[in-house]
């Protein structure tokens, strides 16, 4: 007992000094490989927890059960702390972030599309659905609301059909992943449904979130708590029902409060992946990204609770910690970023495979969008509003590596609000999504069951 106690104390000391604490040895659970990808820094390729605490920095939260997680500064790209960052795991519907980042620029959101029956074929058993019906017409904007809010695999398949089919979309997503430096990701199904060989990592999912947030439409959809969605027709009139975002840090739940400053992004849940979540939040001008993959299921909503703890830690610790890695820029920007460092103009000190200073280059545009704290009424919060004028700036900057992007804001003080929320006449039960798996067996009822049943009831 004395030896064991001394070993535990030594491990705790290493962690508090900014060293590396190995993952707990648990014979009944999967373990990460001894060596993983070094993208973003050599420490990120090693199993275990990595953090470099400076003077006054708080220790990491206790009892984190996620198999893999990352906390990063969304603007500088500095990875503040990580645990098995490059462990290749099933991503569930968080993979829809890559789907959106790949396809969002391709279609005008006001474009209308009539859904054919074959476009709704090939979805896995137990898939989460928003309730799209064949032979009815939807705008692209409505389809994206179905993707982001209800994680609708039906919406994903319709958009994939518009892009030339599932196979073409999968190829495009894999190509985009390579451009972003996401070497842990292999896409088999564009909706994140469990499929043999389909993997991603906490590091890659964080890259996808950072890339997607460059797009103002991505930001707006991700931050929308509720929206009106078209159902069937009653006579000549189209029926509408309300859909609610399944991101519990955005909408709240019985045991999860809305997270102050939250602005999205995406959650997922399948048999193989367990629960997964990537979120973005802003407080006092600092924007953080967090990804958590497959926490223990002993506690309800564990993925949101652990993500919230990591965000709390990140906001407190960011000024004092040294980065343990970095979120790499997209392929086209890496040479440009390197050239900037060589010339000494606007260069950051990055982790470079070990440690970095965490210093951020100042925004050359001189504009620094501010974000409201947001209010919570009726137990439901909102996210932060797009700052006017900054969106035009993003059209000039190919990729915002060291500059701020505007986050959507809370509107509607008497009821839940969001960047593109609409008044809805009906409500459906906002069950958590359950994406299913390749065999069709799930651990809990899929969220689409309640949604589709509610829609039929309305009709």
């Amino acid at each position: 007992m004395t030896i064991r106690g001394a070993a535990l104390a030594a491990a705790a000391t290493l962690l508090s000094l900014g060293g590396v604490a190995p993952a707990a040895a648990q014979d009944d659970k999967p373990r990460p490989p001894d060596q993983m990808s070094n993208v973003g820094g050599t420490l990120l390729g090693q199993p275990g927890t990595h953090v470099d605490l400076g003077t006054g920095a708080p220790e990491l939260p206790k009892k984190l059960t996620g198999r893999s997680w990352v906390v990063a500064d969304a603007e500088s790209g500095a990875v503040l702390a990580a645990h098995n960052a490059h462990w290749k795991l099933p991503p569930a519907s968080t993979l829809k972030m890559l789907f959106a980042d790949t396809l969002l620029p391709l279609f005008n959101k006001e474009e209308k599309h009539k859904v054919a029956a074959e476009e709704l074929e090939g979805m896995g058993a137990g898939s989460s659905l928003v309730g799209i019906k064949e032979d009815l017409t939807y705008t692209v904007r409505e389809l994206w609301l179905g993707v982001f809010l209800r994680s609708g695999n039906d919406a994903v398949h319709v958009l994939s059909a518009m892009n030339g089919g599932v196979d073409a979309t999968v190829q495009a997503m894999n190509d985009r992943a390579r451009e972003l430096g996401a070497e842990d990701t292999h896409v088999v199904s564009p909706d994140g449904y469990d499929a043999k060989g389909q993997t991603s990592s906490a590091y890659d999912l964080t890259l996808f979130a950072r890339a997607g947030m460059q797009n103002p439409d991505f930001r707006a959809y991700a931050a929308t708590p509720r929206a009106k969605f078209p159902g069937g027709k009653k006579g000549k009139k189209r029926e509408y029902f309300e859909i609610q975002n399944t991101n519990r840090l955005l909408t709240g739940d019985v045991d999860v409060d809305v997270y102050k400053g939250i602005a999205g992004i995406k959650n997922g849940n399948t048999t193989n992946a367990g629960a997964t979540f990537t979120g973005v939040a802003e407080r006092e001008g600092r924007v953080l990204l967090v990804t958590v993959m497959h926490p223990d299921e002993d506690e309800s909503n564990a993925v949101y609770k652990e993500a919230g703890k990591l965000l709390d830690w990140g906001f407190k610790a960011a000024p004092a910690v040294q980065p343990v890695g970095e979120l790499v820029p997209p392929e086209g920007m890496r040479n440009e970023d390197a050239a900037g460092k060589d010339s000494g103009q606007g260069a950051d000190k990055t982790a470079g495979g070990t440690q970095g200073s965490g210093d951020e280059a100042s925004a050359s545009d001189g504009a620094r969008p501010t974000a409201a704290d947001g209010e919570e009424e009726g137990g439901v919060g909102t996210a932060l509003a797009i700052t006017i004028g900054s969106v035009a700036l993003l059209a000039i900057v190919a990729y915002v590596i060291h500059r701020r992007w505007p986050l959507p804001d809370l509107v509607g003080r008497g009821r839940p609000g969001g960047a593109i929320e609409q008044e809805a006449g009906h409500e459906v039960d906002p069950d958590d999504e359950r994406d299913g798996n390749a065999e069709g067996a799930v651990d809990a009822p899929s969220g689409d069951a309640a949604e589709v049943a509610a829609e039929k009831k309305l009709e």
Side-chain angles (χ1 to χ4, degrees), residues 214-296:
Q214 311 302 315
N215 186 314
D217 287 333
F218 186 107
R219 296 194 299 270
Y221 292 131
T224 301
R226 292 172 174 78
K228 184 170 63 173
F229 194 82
K233 286 185 176 181
K234 189 174 184 179
K236 293 183 178 180
K237 186 178 179 181
R238 191 75 176 265
E239 295 283 292
Y240 284 83
F241 61 98
E242 185 181 88
I243 56 176
Q244 176 171 293
N245 202 310
T246 54
N247 174 358
R248 292 298 181 247
L249 290 189
L250 185 66
T251 60
D253 203 354
V254 291
D255 58 345
V256 177
D257 292 330
V258 172
Y259 191 83
K260 182 181 179 182
I262 193 71
I265 301 174
K266 192 71 191 77
N267 56 303
N269 199 327
T270 68
T271 300
N272 292 343
T276 60
F277 175 71
T278 297
V280 62
E282 179 175 359
R283 288 187 183 177
E284 298 179 355
R286 186 182 298 276
V287 183
L288 295 183
L289 289 164
V290 64
T291 295
V292 177
M293 301 185 75
H294 210 311
D296 288 345

Side-chain angles (χ1 to χ4, degrees), residues 75-408:
E75 296 161 343
S76 71
V79 175
L80 307 182
H83 177 73
N84 301 328
H86 281 292
W87 191 358
K88 295 181 181 181
L89 297 168
S93 280
T94 45
L95 192 65
K96 288 182 172 79
M97 294 186 295
L98 176 61
F99 173 78
D101 181 57
T102 304
L103 266 63
L104 258 176
L106 303 183
F107 306 108
N108 186 306
K109 59 187 174 184
E110 301 306 323
E111 179 181 343
K112 295 182 179 180
H113 178 77
K114 186 175 182 179
V115 176
E118 58 268 22
E119 295 174 358
L120 297 176
E121 296 175 353
M123 289 183 290
S127 285
S128 53
L129 306 173
V130 68
I132 291 173
K133 297 181 177 296
E134 63 183 81
D135 297 327
L136 291 181
T137 299
Y138 300 82
T139 65
V140 167
R141 176 179 175 277
E142 289 166 343
L143 293 173
W144 282 119
L145 285 170
V147 171
F148 276 87
L149 273 66
R150 293 309 304 177
S151 202
N153 289 4
D154 45 359
V156 169
H157 278 250
V158 172
L159 287 164
S160 295
M162 294 174 65
N163 186 51
V166 168
D167 290 344
T169 299
V170 165
Q171 182 61 54
M173 290 171 67
N174 280 315
D175 291 343
R176 178 58 174 161
R178 299 293 85 75
E179 291 174 3
L180 295 175
E183 296 182 358
D184 304 321
T185 297
H186 178 63
V187 181
V188 178
S189 177
D191 50 25
Y193 191 91
D194 284 341
K196 185 178 180 180
Q198 181 154 274
T199 63
S200 191
S201 67
Y203 182 88
D204 284 8
L205 293 175
T206 310
L207 286 182
F208 302 152
R210 192 181 186 215
M213 291 296 286
Q214 311 302 315
N215 186 314
D217 287 333
F218 186 107
R219 296 194 299 270
Y221 292 131
T224 301
R226 292 172 174 78
K228 184 170 63 173
F229 194 82
K233 286 185 176 181
K234 189 174 184 179
K236 293 183 178 180
K237 186 178 179 181
R238 191 75 176 265
E239 295 283 292
Y240 284 83
F241 61 98
E242 185 181 88
I243 56 176
Q244 176 171 293
N245 202 310
T246 54
N247 174 358
R248 292 298 181 247
L249 290 189
L250 185 66
T251 60
D253 203 354
V254 291
D255 58 345
V256 177
D257 292 330
V258 172
Y259 191 83
K260 182 181 179 182
I262 193 71
I265 301 174
K266 192 71 191 77
N267 56 303
N269 199 327
T270 68
T271 300
N272 292 343
T276 60
F277 175 71
T278 297
V280 62
E282 179 175 359
R283 288 187 183 177
E284 298 179 355
R286 186 182 298 276
V287 183
L288 295 183
L289 289 164
V290 64
T291 295
V292 177
M293 301 185 75
H294 210 311
D296 288 345
E297 297 183 359
D298 296 339
E299 184 178 17
S300 67
N301 286 319
V303 74
Y304 303 109
K305 293 174 182 177
E306 295 192 14
K309 289 178 183 178
L310 286 168
L311 283 170
D312 286 343
W313 172 85
F315 284 119
K316 294 176 182 177
V321 298
Q322 292 295 313
V324 294
E326 66 170 342
L327 300 177
V328 296
E331 184 177 25
M333 295 297 296
R334 289 171 212 159
N335 292 336
E336 183 177 326
D337 194 44
K341 291 177 183 178
D342 290 341
S343 66
Q345 298 176 358
D348 270 359
K349 299 176 183 178
T350 64
T354 52
Q355 294 184 355
S357 68
D359 296 337
E360 293 183 15
S362 60
S364 61
D365 50 67
R368 190 177 181 85
T370 59
D373 289 337
E375 295 181 3
E376 299 178 16
E377 299 190 22
V380 181
T382 48
L384 298 171
I386 296 178
T387 304
I388 297 174
S390 297
V391 173
L393 172 65
L394 294 183
I396 301 173
V397 182
Y399 190 86
V400 185
I401 299 298
H402 304 305
R403 296 176 175 82
R404 291 185 176 274
W405 61 75
L407 294 179

